[in-house]
Amino acid sequence: MPWRIPLNPDRPTEPLPPEGVAAIHDAAMRVLEETGIEFLNEEARDYLRSAGCAVRPGTANVRLDRGFVMAEVAKAPRRFDITPRNPARKVTMGGGHMCFVNVSSPPNVMDLDRGRRVGDIDAFRDLIRLTQYFNCIHVAGGYPVEPLDIHASVRHLDCLYEKLTLTDKVVHAYSLGPERVEDVIEMARIASGLEREEFESQPRLFTNINSSSPLKHDWPMLDGAMRFARRGQPVIVTPFTLAGAMAPVTMAGAVVQSIAEALAAIALLQVVRPGAPCMIGTFTSNVDMKSGAPAFGTPEYMRATQMTGQMARFYGLPLRASNACASNAPDGQAMWESANSLWSAVQSGVNLVYHAAGWLEGGLIASYEKFVMDCELIQQIERYFEPVLTDTTPDSLAVEAIAEVGPYSHFFGADHTQSRFTSAFYAPFLSDWRNYEAWSEAGSIATPERANRVWKAILAEFEPPPMDEAIRDELGAFVARRKREGGAPTDY
Amino acid sequence: MPWRIPLNPDRPTEPLPPEGVAAIHDAAMRVLEETGIEFLNEEARDYLRSAGCAVRPGTANVRLDRGFVMAEVAKAPRRFDITPRNPARKVTMGGGHMCFVNVSSPPNVMDLDRGRRVGDIDAFRDLIRLTQYFNCIHVAGGYPVEPLDIHASVRHLDCLYEKLTLTDKVVHAYSLGPERVEDVIEMARIASGLEREEFESQPRLFTNINSSSPLKHDWPMLDGAMRFARRGQPVIVTPFTLAGAMAPVTMAGAVVQSIAEALAAIALLQVVRPGAPCMIGTFTSNVDMKSGAPAFGTPEYMRATQMTGQMARFYGLPLRASNACASNAPDGQAMWESANSLWSAVQSGVNLVYHAAGWLEGGLIASYEKFVMDCELIQQIERYFEPVLTDTTPDSLAVEAIAEVGPYSHFFGADHTQSRFTSAFYAPFLSDWRNYEAWSEAGSIATPERANRVWKAILAEFEPPPMDEAIRDELGAFVARRKREGGAPTDY
């Protein structure tokens, strides 16, 4: 499937009536005004204090007036582009577009041959290659698996070097301390071949921060977000609001808290730099009330995502969601949970789907096979968006073809069919549509085993995208120097 | 999950603008007016001729004027109930309701222990027991597997005896010849304990007819449909329009043909009995253009279902669709294809989902494990419909609970959580939400193996619903008599 930025033509599914949107808005504003948010970063509090917010003396608590919040949030753009080192891989956030990001941050990796194991740099490289290979994946987000064989002080250097040389797609920086953030921005700049001023003249990479729900934004996340905002680089604010654990047990209550946490940070970033590109992230789901274990792709998760979509449109902000599941294997449960997550993202008008390919076990496993399986479903969603499927121009209505074929023939040989033969339908790369006899004669290869063959074939033939040798050398020299300097502190 | 008739609260996904609906309508009317439909049944042609339609002399071809078709179709009810022998199992077709039917008519059956094999009466009984057990399945539709160990002349007698004694849900008759249709109606009447007049005073069972696409309705299907209509019993008309094979390769063209075929039969049935309850069925999908194999749950299938939903609402008729997939195993592909099918049914405002549980291999396999897996997903859809998930009354908004818990605690112990603890979230019976360690210590049981355990436990404890002994005896005597008489002819 060729590279493109999909456009979702469907009207979103909107479970809330207008009064419901107003009720969630009012409740989120009451949380910000009456309870407030803990900003565990003095610089952030200084910004907010100078903007007129009430910082409770001796505490991190900031209460934010709804007039202030709404005025600040209104400064954020409804839509923006992010342009990576290869400008042809530019992505658009907002405007009805929908982009997909690889799985990010699992500590473990799994495949059918080697089972589940701790993440390492080889697996990191493999999954980045898959991220680059599939055109349905638009962004190389967080680490597709944590390479725990690389010391944390220099991990960001090696990881970004691999990301920037193995892909030419948009990359991301973790907000885990100033040194890491500055290093990653500088490496993305080097890879772009641009001087700093031109590099920062438009969005080039992004960060994602998570609130420490309930109601807290911690120091490194706020620090990274403010560094990004100051340079005009996008920030996604994603509260992790598991209903019944870090958020109210009611889905509307969990959405209220998530919106309050997200808007508090976005308002701050607009104070830091008016017009800074920001997105609301949603990660509202529920827990298993017997065990407290997180659950994903549930009915509650789907409705929370749809409600958050309505709120994001109300505030005029692009929206991020996820392709999450709780399954421990790339099996039926994994795919019904992922299908629920992905279709609710479509229904919610989501602009960026994190963890879109490869996530298992509630985010604790990056799976090679699941990566391939998810890409099959994502390609189907991108095909589903194509206007030709619902075209009703006279040629598509086919009244003449129906008359010509008549009641005692079939359409295989008709001109109307033959002239559209090759492009009429989506051709899956992973589904097996043969009948049982042909399928079993070929070895009864089920979906994960087919996915196993697919990723091996992709990795065997992978060619990294071109990069100027001088740029590669400059990147390598930067990494070597920063390693000599000791990298980043690990006591964050 | 308790018995209930789900109400789908979502506004349908409507890919067609009003002009698109008008274009498909006009094209379908042109097919009926200019090309016509083959009614391979003289009685049907007589009805249509007497109603003023143009029967081409010496042929089965009938051209139907759009004024006639629209006037007749307008006589069909927008909504009706079907009441089986247990009135508590009444189902509603239309009015935003959504009911689910077991898999129907595969010649083969499969489970993890015995593999794939030809269907028999034992498997038939097992799958009917599962149909009865799951409250998310509302209708005992066609045979969940063909019991090929029973001679075709008497198969309908044994099958209906099993269905009517093992379930108390709505049953179905195949329109495969007058004797079978009359036998099944009579057996449903006996099971109801009602006299004929009262039995026929409202819908009690239904038939589903398929056109022989392109553009033909065959003799036994029309005969059965007319017998049902005369008695006020519902008929679903389901063209099997595979785009590129029996219908145009364009999805709009396939929908045009499907609508033309369906409306032609429904108009006939309104001539036979004005007001006869009818439904449009959609089975529009695409083929693999390399092999011609049918494909299901594809992007093209989803859009065709949504477009047909718009047309069904335009004509004011309830709609049937399916939970179809092409996979040969109860694996990831099976579940993404089924999730695509089921969610497109939700998005299309479908009122009855055929083959909702248990279908594999494009309908050639009934799978015990897939039956259980589908029921898990259907229960999630039914939960998704519950208004409590998107309730925004003050208690659900939880502003006070958020203030009370504050930033340095969690919601597990909060009163707001504890008072909603047991019913806050859907609790799956098949998903495993444990972490990898707990899951692997328990044997790494993947989804189909868990489903295998579930169906065995259900069948081990199954108790058939109560039936009056006299009625059971009368049913048995009817079957014995009809078998002595030789059953039904097998040369249809």
Side-chain angles (χ1 to χ4, degrees):
Chain A
M1 189 171 266
W3 169 268
R4 59 179 157 185
I5 304 301
L7 188 64
N8 177 354
D10 286 356
R11 181 161 57 182
T13 300
E14 304 206 315
L16 297 176
E19 316 84 73
V21 172
I24 288 186
H25 169 62
D26 178 66
M29 295 299 125
R30 283 187 57 203
V31 169
L32 292 174
E33 290 174 334
E34 299 170 16
T35 301
I37 298 288
E38 310 293 295
F39 284 84
L40 304 172
N41 182 302
E42 195 174 334
E43 189 182 13
R45 292 196 298 275
D46 287 345
Y47 274 115
L48 291 169
R49 189 184 292 111
S50 69
C53 294
V55 181
R56 199 167 294 170
T59 76
N61 182 269
V62 183
R63 279 166 295 153
L64 302 98
D65 177 78
R66 71 181 67 198
F68 162 76
V69 171
M70 292 301 281
E72 294 302 320
V73 166
K75 296 175 185 168
R78 292 179 164 266
R79 169 186 170 148
F80 56 88
D81 295 334
I82 313 178
T83 307
R85 71 173 176 93
N86 177 357
R89 303 292 197 180
K90 184 175 75 175
V91 297
T92 300
M93 299 294 111
H97 290 288
M98 189 171 193
C99 292
F100 296 88
V101 190
N102 58 272
V103 61
S104 299
S105 312
N108 303 297
V109 65
M110 187 162 84
D111 64 64
L112 291 190
D113 305 291
R114 291 165 288 187
R116 180 180 184 262
R117 60 197 192 281
V118 165
D120 59 27
I121 192 69
D122 286 336
F124 177 97
R125 283 193 197 100
D126 284 347
L127 293 167
I128 286 291
R129 290 180 182 114
L130 295 179
T131 298
Q132 174 68 10
Y133 174 82
F134 283 103
N135 281 326
C136 67
I137 302 295
H138 302 90
V139 172
Y143 306 159
V145 67
E146 283 284 338
L148 292 168
D149 53 343
I150 310 282
H151 192 269
S153 60
V154 297
R155 192 182 299 156
H156 65 291
L157 299 168
D158 284 336
C159 284
L160 263 288
Y161 181 85
E162 299 294 343
K163 270 168 99 164
L164 289 166
T165 53
L166 290 173
T167 93
D168 58 2
K169 297 181 180 177
V170 165
V171 299
H172 149 281
Y174 286 100
S175 282
L176 293 174
E179 298 81 3
R180 287 183 181 79
V181 170
E182 297 295 336
D183 284 346
V184 170
I185 293 177
E186 180 61 8
M187 289 178 73
R189 186 200 65 74
I190 294 170
S192 74
L194 301 172
E195 294 305 316
R196 179 160 169 173
E197 195 178 344
E198 192 182 348
F199 181 77
E200 293 184 9
S201 69
Q202 53 179 281
R204 304 285 182 181
L205 78 171
F206 71 101
T207 191
N208 178 88
I209 68 167
N210 302 108
S211 44
S212 296
S213 303
L215 305 178
K216 289 185 297 299
H217 285 291
D218 70 15
W219 191 89
M221 291 287 179
L222 288 170
D223 178 76
M226 291 187 290
R227 286 175 193 275
F228 263 67
R230 272 187 218 110
R231 292 154 176 247
Q233 301 302 312
V235 179
I236 309 173
V237 185
T238 310
F240 185 26
T241 38
L242 281 180
M246 301 89 98
V249 74
T250 48
M251 298 320 291
V255 171
V256 163
Q257 185 182 308
S258 175
I259 291 292
E261 293 175 5
L263 293 185
I266 291 170
L268 164 68
L269 298 174
Q270 298 306 316
V271 171
V272 171
R273 173 159 163 166
C278 293
M279 292 177 78
I280 291 182
T282 172
F283 219 102
T284 300
S285 193
N286 58 297
V287 296
D288 179 351
M289 291 307 283
K290 284 175 299 201
S291 67
F296 299 103
T298 62
E300 291 81 7
Y301 173 95
M302 296 182 75
R303 287 302 194 193
T305 307
Q306 292 168 355
M307 288 192 282
T308 308
Q310 291 188 259
M311 300 313 298
R313 288 188 291 282
F314 178 78
Y315 298 116
L317 291 166
L319 178 64
R320 170 220 142 157
S322 301
N323 173 10
C325 71
S327 185
N328 291 299
D331 63 356
Q333 179 189 331
M335 293 320 292
W336 78 59
E337 290 176 339
S338 271
N340 287 359
S341 294
L342 285 168
W343 284 115
S344 71
V346 171
Q347 295 163 341
S348 305
V350 163
N351 304 107
L352 186 70
V353 180
Y354 240 69
H355 309 297
W359 152 308
L360 281 180
E361 200 203 350
L364 296 177
I365 297 175
S367 159
Y368 284 59
E369 286 81 18
K370 176 78 168 9
F371 197 112
V372 172
M373 292 162 69
D374 284 329
C375 284
E376 176 62 70
L377 189 46
I378 294 165
Q379 288 200 176
Q380 291 181 35
I381 288 171
E382 295 189 7
R383 166 68 178 173
Y384 165 92
F385 290 156
E386 289 182 22
V388 67
L389 270 66
T390 55
D391 179 65
T392 56
T393 52
D395 260 11
S396 293
L397 294 170
V399 173
E400 288 73 20
I402 292 170
E404 185 190 309
V405 170
Y408 297 103
S409 183
H410 57 70
F411 288 78
F412 281 117
D415 285 346
H416 185 266
T417 307
Q418 290 295 317
S419 62
R420 290 165 180 80
F421 185 86
T422 49
S423 64
F425 309 129
Y426 171 70
F429 67 90
L430 187 61
S431 304
D432 192 322
W433 287 348
R434 289 179 291 188
N435 65 20
Y436 187 87
E437 285 76 10
W439 177 76
S440 55
E441 271 167 36
S444 302
I445 315 292
T447 307
E449 288 76 23
R450 294 200 299 276
N452 182 273
R453 295 177 179 194
V454 169
W455 68 253
K456 284 177 180 168
I458 293 169
L459 295 183
E461 299 191 2
F462 181 81
E463 301 249 3
M467 175 178 261
D468 187 282
E469 272 309 313
I471 287 177
R472 185 189 308 269
D473 291 346
E474 190 181 347
L475 264 184
F478 180 86
V479 168
R481 173 171 70 79
R482 291 288 297 123
K483 284 188 175 180
R484 279 196 308 275
E485 293 168 3
T490 54
D491 58 350
Y492 58 88
Chain B
M1 190 171 264
W3 170 269
R4 59 180 157 185
I5 305 301
L7 188 64
N8 177 353
D10 286 356
R11 181 161 57 182
T13 300
E14 303 205 315
L16 297 177
E19 317 83 75
V21 172
I24 288 186
H25 169 62
D26 179 66
M29 295 299 126
R30 283 187 56 203
V31 169
L32 293 173
E33 290 173 335
E34 298 169 17
T35 301
I37 299 288
E38 311 291 296
F39 284 86
L40 302 173
N41 181 303
E42 195 174 334
E43 190 182 12
R45 292 196 299 275
D46 287 346
Y47 273 115
L48 291 169
R49 189 184 291 110
S50 69
C53 295
V55 181
R56 199 166 292 169
T59 76
N61 182 270
V62 183
R63 279 166 295 153
L64 302 96
D65 177 79
R66 70 181 68 199
F68 162 76
V69 171
M70 292 301 281
E72 294 302 321
V73 166
K75 296 175 185 168
R78 291 179 164 266
R79 169 185 171 149
F80 55 88
D81 295 334
I82 313 178
T83 307
R85 72 173 177 92
N86 177 358
R89 302 292 197 179
K90 184 174 75 176
V91 296
T92 300
M93 298 293 111
H97 289 289
M98 189 171 193
C99 293
F100 296 88
V101 190
N102 59 273
V103 62
S104 298
S105 312
N108 304 297
V109 65
M110 188 163 84
D111 63 65
L112 292 189
D113 304 291
R114 292 165 288 187
R116 179 179 182 263
R117 60 197 192 282
V118 165
D120 59 27
I121 192 70
D122 286 337
F124 177 97
R125 283 193 197 101
D126 283 347
L127 293 167
I128 287 291
R129 290 181 182 114
L130 295 179
T131 299
Q132 174 68 11
Y133 173 82
F134 283 104
N135 281 326
C136 67
I137 302 295
H138 303 90
V139 171
Y143 307 160
V145 66
E146 282 285 338
L148 292 167
D149 53 343
I150 311 282
H151 193 268
S153 61
V154 298
R155 192 181 300 157
H156 65 292
L157 299 168
D158 284 335
C159 284
L160 263 289
Y161 181 85
E162 299 294 343
K163 271 169 97 164
L164 289 166
T165 53
L166 291 173
T167 93
D168 57 2
K169 298 181 180 177
V170 165
V171 299
H172 149 280
Y174 286 100
S175 282
L176 292 174
E179 299 80 3
R180 287 182 180 79
V181 170
E182 297 294 337
D183 284 346
V184 170
I185 294 176
E186 179 61 8
M187 289 178 73
R189 186 200 64 76
I190 293 170
S192 75
L194 301 172
E195 294 305 317
R196 178 161 169 172
E197 195 177 346
E198 193 182 347
F199 181 77
E200 294 184 9
S201 69
Q202 53 178 282
R204 304 285 183 182
L205 77 171
F206 71 101
T207 191
N208 178 87
I209 68 168
N210 304 107
S211 44
S212 297
S213 304
L215 307 177
K216 290 185 296 298
H217 286 290
D218 71 14
W219 192 89
M221 290 287 179
L222 288 170
D223 178 76
M226 291 188 290
R227 287 176 191 275
F228 263 68
R230 271 186 219 109
R231 291 153 176 247
Q233 301 302 312
V235 179
I236 309 172
V237 185
T238 310
F240 185 26
T241 38
L242 280 181
M246 302 89 99
V249 74
T250 47
M251 299 319 291
V255 170
V256 163
Q257 186 183 308
S258 175
I259 291 292
E261 293 176 4
L263 293 186
I266 291 169
L268 163 69
L269 298 174
Q270 298 305 317
V271 171
V272 171
R273 174 161 163 165
C278 293
M279 291 176 80
I280 291 182
T282 172
F283 219 103
T284 300
S285 194
N286 58 297
V287 296
D288 179 351
M289 291 306 283
K290 285 175 298 202
S291 67
F296 299 102
T298 62
E300 290 81 7
Y301 173 95
M302 296 182 74
R303 287 301 195 194
T305 306
Q306 292 168 354
M307 289 192 281
T308 308
Q310 291 188 258
M311 300 313 299
R313 288 187 291 283
F314 178 79
Y315 297 115
L317 291 167
L319 178 64
R320 169 221 143 156
S322 301
N323 172 10
C325 71
S327 184
N328 291 300
D331 63 357
Q333 179 188 331
M335 292 320 292
W336 78 58
E337 290 176 339
S338 271
N340 287 359
S341 293
L342 286 168
W343 283 114
S344 71
V346 171
Q347 295 164 342
S348 305
V350 163
N351 305 107
L352 187 70
V353 181
Y354 240 69
H355 309 297
W359 151 308
L360 281 180
E361 199 202 352
L364 297 177
I365 297 174
S367 158
Y368 284 60
E369 285 81 18
K370 177 77 167 13
F371 197 112
V372 172
M373 292 162 68
D374 283 330
C375 285
E376 176 62 69
L377 188 47
I378 294 165
Q379 289 199 176
Q380 291 182 35
I381 289 171
E382 295 188 7
R383 166 68 178 173
Y384 165 91
F385 290 156
E386 289 182 23
V388 68
L389 271 66
T390 54
D391 179 65
T392 56
T393 51
D395 259 12
S396 293
L397 294 171
V399 173
E400 287 73 21
I402 292 170
E404 184 191 310
V405 170
Y408 297 102
S409 182
H410 57 71
F411 288 78
F412 281 118
D415 285 347
H416 185 266
T417 306
Q418 290 296 316
S419 62
R420 290 164 179 80
F421 184 87
T422 50
S423 64
F425 309 130
Y426 171 69
F429 66 90
L430 187 61
S431 303
D432 192 322
W433 287 347
R434 290 179 290 187
N435 65 21
Y436 188 87
E437 286 76 10
W439 176 75
S440 55
E441 270 168 36
S444 302
I445 314 293
T447 307
E449 288 75 24
R450 295 199 300 275
N452 181 274
R453 295 177 179 193
V454 168
W455 68 253
K456 284 176 181 168
I458 293 169
L459 295 182
E461 298 191 3
F462 182 80
E463 301 250 3
M467 175 178 261
D468 187 281
E469 271 310 312
I471 286 177
R472 185 188 307 269
D473 292 346
E474 191 181 347
L475 264 185
F478 180 86
V479 168
R481 173 171 70 77
R482 290 289 297 123
K483 283 188 175 181
R484 280 197 307 274
E485 292 168 3
T490 54
D491 59 349
Y492 58 88

